[in-house]
């Protein structure tokens, strides 16, 4: 069974920073072969894409976070990261880690990020 555990959220002032982590585990889960991503969902809104990193390290970002957020992965630790700088109140949401490969799609439980103005 695959488990993704999101952590690192919290309350921060606008302009501040946070680093999210997603620790992956599972007896047959090959972390390095998955495309990993971050999504977020604000109250009353649909879940939206934030960033992704492929198994070879190619990255993609939503326009709203480009230049402020950096996604990275440590395959040796089976951990995904999201460095979030210059945070804005509109970044407030629950952030979810995602692992995707072929028909396999797994989600973390989410971590709350709140940015005060």
């Amino acid at each position: 069974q695959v488990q993704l555990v999101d952590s690192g959220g919290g309350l921060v002032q606008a302009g501040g920073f946070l680093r999210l982590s997603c620790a992956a585990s599972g007896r047959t889960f090959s972390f390095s072969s998955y495309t990993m991503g971050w999504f977020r969902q604000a109250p009353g809104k649909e879940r939206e894409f934030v960033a992704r990193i492929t198994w070879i390290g190619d990255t993609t970002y939503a326009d709203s976070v480009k230049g402020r957020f950096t996604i990275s992965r440590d395959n040796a630790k089976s951990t995904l990261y999201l460095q979030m700088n210059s945070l804005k109140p509109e970044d407030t949401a629950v952030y979810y880690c995602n692992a995707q490969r072929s028909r396999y799609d797994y989600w973390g439980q989410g971590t709350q990020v709140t940015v005060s103005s």
Side-chain angles (χ1 to χ4, degrees), residues 21-71:
S21 298
C22 169
S25 63
R27 189 171 61 86
T28 60
F29 184 65
S30 177
F31 178 85
S32 62
S33 68
Y34 277 73
T35 290
M36 300 297 298
W38 290 98
F39 291 73
R40 66 187 182 186
Q41 187 167 17
K45 295 187 176 181
E46 293 188 352
R47 191 172 297 188
E48 65 175 5
F49 166 77
V50 175
R52 83 166 50 90
I53 183 167
T54 68
W55 67 280
I56 59 172
D58 292 335
T59 58
T60 307
Y61 296 92
D63 287 343
S64 59
V65 307
K66 203 171 292 183
R68 300 187 298 121
F69 291 10
T70 302
I71 190 171

Side-chain angles (χ1 to χ4, degrees), residues 5-11 18-22 38-41 82 84 91-97 108-114:
V5 179
D6 304 328
S7 63
L11 173 64
L18 285 172
R19 188 194 196 203
L20 305 185
S21 298
C22 169
W38 290 98
F39 291 73
R40 66 187 182 186
Q41 187 167 17
L82 185 67
M84 305 186 296
D91 294 319
T92 295
V94 178
Y95 284 70
Y96 297 90
C97 169
Q109 85 287 358
T111 184
Q112 175 70 47
V113 171
T114 302

